[in-house]
Amino acid sequence: MSALLESYAAGRWSRAADDGEPLLDAATGEEVARISSRGLDVAAMVRHARDTGGPAVRALTFHERAALLKALAKHLLERKEELYALSVRTGATARDTAVDVDGGIGTLFSYGSKGVRELPNDTVVLDGGLERLGKGGTFAGQHLYTSRPGVAVQINAFNFPVWGMLEKLAPAFLAGLPTIVKPASQTAYLTELAVRQIIESGILPEGTLQLLAGSAGGLLDELTIQDSVAFTGSAHTAGILRRHPNVLDDGVALNVEADSLNCSILGPDVRPDDPEFDLFVKGVVTEMTVKAGQKCTAIRRVLVPAGMTGQVIDALADRLGKVSVGDPRNPDVRMGALASLGQREEVRKAVEALLANAEVVFGEPKGAALLDGDPERGAFMTPLVLRARPGAVEPHDVEPFGPVSTVIGYDGLDEAIALAARGKGSLVASVATHDPGVARSVVLGLAPWHGRVLVLDRDDAKESTGHGSPLPVLVHGGPGRAGGGEELGGIRGVLHHMQRTAVQASPDQLTAVTGRWTTGSARAESGVHPFRKSLAELRIGDTIASAPRTVSLADIDHFAEFTGDTFYAHTDPEAAARNPLFGGIVAHGYLVVSLAAGLFVDPAPGPVLANFGVDSLRFLTPVKAGDTIAVTLTVKQITPRSNADYGEVRWDAVVTNQEDQPVATYDVLTLVAKTWDAR
C-alpha cells in the first residue's frame, strides 16, 4: 500500500486516522498515494490561520509580502524538476506540466513584481483621488483598501494542482490573508509536494499556508464574515457551496469559476489561404490536446461560416491525425491521459449526449489508438471532433471536459455572436480575423458574456499566448455558467480580497490615516530645503515655498526657438488673440513646469539622486507675459525601496500666479538616498 498523503495543519504535518482512498496513476492505473482527512481538526486550522498566519502577514508591508512571493518563486523554480517527475503520474506531458508548474511559478513572479511597482510600501491602498466635501476645504473623503482579518480558503480542481494553488495564493497573500488549500483528490499528491517545498523553505510566515488533503468536511462551518472561499470546479459543487448557510446568511464571500463552454470563431473575412485560417485551426487543436482538453478555458465550440465547415474539419483532422496519444513518460507522446478512468467515463457520457444532434467527424469515442500505454488501465482518449446538426442545442449545454470540440456552422456575424452567447457565460472566447470591423463587432458582442476575448491575427500571432492561457495580469473568470467570479487581473486580484472603505475627515486626519499628504493638511517649512534631507530625515508635509519669478515675452520666444515648439499660441500675436481660450500670447505649459523646477530645485549635490517622472500634470490657468509664478512643493509620500540605498519620494507641486490662482498642479517623483553624509 502506498503512502498516505498528509495535511499541513496548525503548524505540523498531520496524517489521517484511516488508510484512506487510493489515488491512481492516470496512465498506468498503479497506486500513487492514498488520501483521507479523517480526524483532521479543521477548526484548529482556521484558528491557526486567523490567530497566527493573519497577524504575521498583515504585519508586513505590501513590498515585504511581494519580496517573499518573489523569493518563493525562485525557491520553487530551483526545485521544479521534482514537480515535473511527479506530474507525469497525473497524465501530463512535459508541455502540460510546464503550463501547470511553470505557469504557477510565473504567477508568483508576476505578483512579486507588481506588488513592488504598483502598491505602496505600506499596508493601506488608496483608491482614487481626494473628494472635497466642503467649500472651505476642511472636510474631505478618501476611499482606501485595508486587509480583512480573515482566512482565504481555496477549493481547487484536479486539472492544475500547482497553478491552481499558486494563482490563488499569490494575490491573497499580497492582500494580507492566510490561505487554506483544499486540492482535488485525484491529483492532490502533486499539490502536497509543492506545499512541502514551500513549508520546508521557511519563506512564508507560519500559518499563512495550510493544506487540507482529503474531504473538506466541516471547513465551511468554521468560516465567518471576514473569510472567503475561492472555488474552481463543477457548477453542481458550486451550487452546493452557494447554499451553505455561512455563505447564504453569514457573509462568507464565495468566488466561483465553474463550467464554461468556451468558443472560438473563425471570422467571415477569413479564407483557407489566409494566415488566420491556419492560426485558427492550430489554436483549436492546441486547446483540445494540452492537458488532454482538461482545461476550464479549452475550446468546446468551434464556430465557423457555414460554407467552410468541411474545410475546417479537414484541416482539424489533418493536424489531429499527427497527435500521438499515450503514456506521457514516452517523449514522443504529444497528448497524455485524462486524470482518471472516472473522468474519462464522464467525458464519454458528455459525448453521448452531444451525439443526439451531432456526428463524429474525427476520432473514436470508445477507442484509443495509442503510441504507448494500456487502454484499459490508463485513462486514454483520442481527440474527438463533432459536427453539430443545424439547430442543435446540446453543444451549448453540455461540456465534455476532455479532448472534444464541436464544429458549428453560422450564417452571418450576428448569428455567430448569438451562438456564442448561448453558452450562457464563459471564461474566454477568441476570434480569428484580420478585419478591424469584424473584430470590433465580435468583441463588443461577446464581451457581456465572457471574461476574456482574444482577437487573433497575423499581426499578434507571434507574441500571442493563445486562447486558453490565463495570465496573471488579466482577469480570469466569467459571468453566468462560468460562475460569475473573477481572479487574477494584476492588482485587481489583490484588491478583490481587501475591504474598500470611504473615510471622511479633516485633511490633517486623512493624512494621519493614509500616510500620504492630503491637500489642505498642514505643511512644515523648517528653513532647511527638503532637497537637503535624506529619506530618513524627510517627513510627510515637509515643504518649500519658492520665491516668485516673472515670465517675460523673451522667455516665451526663447523657449519656442530653443525647443522648436512654435505653436501659434506662443508665437503669433494675431492668431493667438483670436483663440477663445487665450486671447493672446501665452507661455508654453512645459516652460511653466521648467521654470517651476528652477524655483524649487536646490542645485548642490545632495540626497536627491534623480527625478524619474511627473504624474497627473494639469495646466489650469494660462500664463501670459508679465505674469509672476511661484511654486509650493510638499512631500506627499515616502516609499523606501527594499534592497536599495534609496527610496521614492512623491512631491505635491502647485504652481500659482500673482493672483494666487493655480496655474499647474502635478506630482514630482524623485529618488532620494536613505542616508546622506553632507561632508
Side-chain angles (χ1 to χ4, degrees):
M1 187 169 63
S2 56
L4 185 67
L5 297 183
E6 293 183 325
S7 296
Y8 186 72
R12 64 185 182 88
W13 288 99
S14 175
R15 185 169 298 191
D18 61 359
D19 292 335
E21 297 295 322
L23 304 176
L24 305 182
D25 186 303
T28 67
E30 298 172 350
E31 190 171 301
V32 179
R34 301 182 76 85
I35 190 167
S36 173
S37 61
R38 180 174 294 181
L40 186 64
D41 190 346
V42 293
M45 294 180 73
V46 174
R47 287 196 302 272
H48 189 63
R50 285 202 189 109
D51 299 342
T52 302
V57 67
R58 289 194 297 275
L60 305 173
T61 68
F62 293 112
H63 287 196
E64 290 169 333
R65 298 170 200 169
L68 294 182
L69 290 177
K70 184 176 181 180
L72 182 59
K74 292 180 177 178
H75 176 80
L76 293 176
L77 190 62
E78 293 170 355
R79 290 157 180 79
K80 75 173 186 177
E81 293 307 320
E82 296 177 53
L83 298 170
Y84 267 67
L86 187 58
S87 177
V88 72
R89 310 207 71 174
T90 71
T93 64
R95 178 179 67 164
D96 299 336
T97 299
V99 175
D100 185 28
V101 172
D102 295 74
I105 294 171
T107 300
L108 292 178
F109 273 122
S110 179
Y111 274 95
S113 176
K114 277 189 164 290
V116 172
R117 294 200 321 266
E118 299 180 28
L119 292 173
N121 196 11
D122 199 343
T123 58
V124 175
V125 183
L126 302 191
D127 177 37
L130 186 72
E131 299 290 345
R132 186 168 173 166
L133 304 178
K135 292 183 179 180
T138 62
F139 187 49
Q142 174 69 59
H143 291 90
L144 54 81
Y145 285 96
T146 55
S147 297
R148 292 186 171 106
V151 181
V153 173
Q154 49 173 268
I155 302 175
N156 294 326
F158 63 82
N159 52 340
F160 289 104
V162 177
W163 176 84
M165 172 181 67
L166 297 180
E167 64 95 7
K168 292 181 177 70
L169 172 66
F173 184 83
L174 202 49
L177 285 172
T179 291
I180 297 175
V181 179
K182 194 289 178 193
S185 291
Q186 295 103 305
T187 55
Y189 48 86
L190 186 55
T191 307
E192 190 219 42
L193 176 58
V195 172
R196 283 190 182 276
Q197 291 181 344
I198 294 171
I199 297 301
E200 289 169 2
S201 75
I203 292 172
L204 300 186
E206 174 54 46
T208 56
L209 176 62
Q210 298 180 82
L211 173 69
L212 195 167
S215 171
L219 179 58
L220 265 66
D221 298 338
E222 303 300 325
L223 304 183
T224 61
I225 190 170
Q226 291 291 340
D227 304 322
S228 63
V229 178
F231 170 75
T232 301
S234 70
H236 173 74
T237 304
I240 295 173
L241 295 175
R242 285 191 171 107
R243 292 188 292 272
H244 192 282
N246 285 358
V247 175
L248 277 176
D249 304 321
D250 293 336
V252 173
L254 176 64
N255 189 81
V256 171
E257 180 209 314
D259 303 346
S260 184
L261 290 165
N262 312 295
C263 70
S264 188
I265 300 174
L266 181 65
D269 59 298
V270 179
R271 298 293 175 261
D273 57 349
D274 288 337
E276 287 72 26
F277 185 88
D278 289 336
L279 293 171
F280 176 79
V281 171
K282 182 179 179 181
V284 172
V285 170
T286 296
E287 294 308 317
M288 290 180 66
T289 56
V290 171
K291 296 290 288 188
Q294 300 169 113
K295 293 172 60 182
C296 55
T297 54
I299 296 170
R300 309 298 180 197
R301 299 176 296 157
V302 182
L303 307 182
V304 303
M308 295 186 67
T309 55
Q311 292 162 299
V312 169
I313 289 170
D314 289 344
L316 289 172
D318 182 61
R319 277 189 174 271
L320 288 170
K322 301 171 185 175
V323 174
S324 52
V325 180
D327 191 326
R329 294 168 181 81
N330 186 326
D332 294 327
V333 164
R334 291 295 174 263
M335 191 180 92
L338 277 70
S340 68
L341 292 172
Q343 178 60 25
R344 183 177 69 180
E345 186 59 28
E346 289 296 319
V347 176
R348 286 176 173 174
K349 289 179 181 177
V351 171
E352 288 181 9
L354 290 169
L355 288 176
N357 271 300
E359 61 178 328
V360 177
V361 292
F362 180 85
E364 295 292 335
K366 296 289 187 179
L370 303 181
L371 179 67
D372 189 5
D374 185 334
E376 299 301 321
R377 293 176 58 83
F380 300 109
M381 185 173 183
T382 58
L384 291 176
V385 178
L386 312 182
R387 174 163 50 195
R389 298 187 182 98
V393 298
E394 291 82 1
H396 311 296
D397 293 327
V398 178
E399 181 185 17
F401 202 72
V404 183
S405 290
T406 301
V407 176
I408 305 169
Y410 71 81
D411 292 312
L413 206 52
D414 289 344
E415 185 182 12
I417 294 169
L419 287 170
R422 288 181 64 182
K424 301 181 183 70
S426 302
L427 296 172
V428 57
S430 56
V431 56
T433 179
H434 196 52
D435 185 323
V438 170
R440 177 178 169 84
S441 295
V442 171
V443 169
L444 297 185
L446 298 187
W449 301 92
H450 295 80
R452 178 166 57 88
V453 179
L454 165 68
V455 179
L456 184 63
D457 71 356
R458 66 197 72 177
D459 294 335
D460 66 6
K462 287 185 179 180
E463 294 186 344
S464 173
T465 51
H467 169 104
S469 299
L471 300 176
V473 297
L474 300 180
V475 293
H476 178 54
R481 185 199 298 270
E486 185 177 291
E487 298 174 338
L488 300 175
I491 298 304
R492 296 174 188 85
V494 178
L495 301 180
H496 175 79
H497 285 286
M498 303 181 75
Q499 178 62 46
R500 180 166 54 189
T501 304
V503 180
Q504 299 166 277
S506 69
D508 284 335
Q509 297 286 27
L510 286 174
T511 294
V513 168
T514 64
R516 180 168 173 157
W517 186 82
T518 301
T519 301
S521 61
R523 291 183 168 98
E525 295 185 68
S526 64
V528 177
H529 195 293
F531 277 29
R532 309 311 305 164
K533 296 182 179 181
S534 67
L535 203 71
E537 298 168 318
L538 278 173
R539 296 293 180 267
I540 299 295
D542 280 356
T543 298
I544 176 176
S546 79
R549 167 166 179 163
T550 299
V551 181
S552 67
L553 185 58
D555 292 329
I556 300 172
D557 290 342
H558 173 72
F559 192 82
E561 181 181 358
F562 180 71
T563 64
D565 181 356
T566 56
F567 183 65
Y568 77 88
H570 313 306
T571 57
D572 186 335
E574 292 183 4
R578 293 192 296 270
N579 186 306
L581 298 179
F582 302 140
I585 293 290
V586 294
H588 307 70
Y590 294 111
L591 169 60
V592 173
V593 172
S594 299
L595 295 176
L599 292 173
F600 67 66
V601 163
D602 184 303
V608 175
L609 306 176
N611 176 339
F612 71 95
V614 171
D615 279 353
S616 306
L617 174 61
R618 294 293 182 272
F619 299 117
L620 304 176
T621 304
V623 174
K624 298 184 176 182
D627 283 353
T628 298
I629 62 171
V631 60
T632 301
L633 191 73
T634 304
V635 175
K636 191 172 188 176
Q637 187 176 30
I638 301 173
T639 305
R641 283 192 179 180
S642 302
N643 304 318
D645 295 330
Y646 55 85
E648 302 172 14
V649 178
R650 178 181 292 268
W651 308 76
D652 179 85
V654 180
V655 183
T656 54
N657 61 18
Q658 67 276 7
E659 297 177 2
D660 206 30
Q661 296 173 318
V663 167
T665 60
Y666 50 99
D667 286 357
V668 178
L669 310 179
T670 63
L671 300 178
V672 178
K674 291 180 177 178
T675 59
W676 181 260
D677 187 349
R679 291 175 298 176

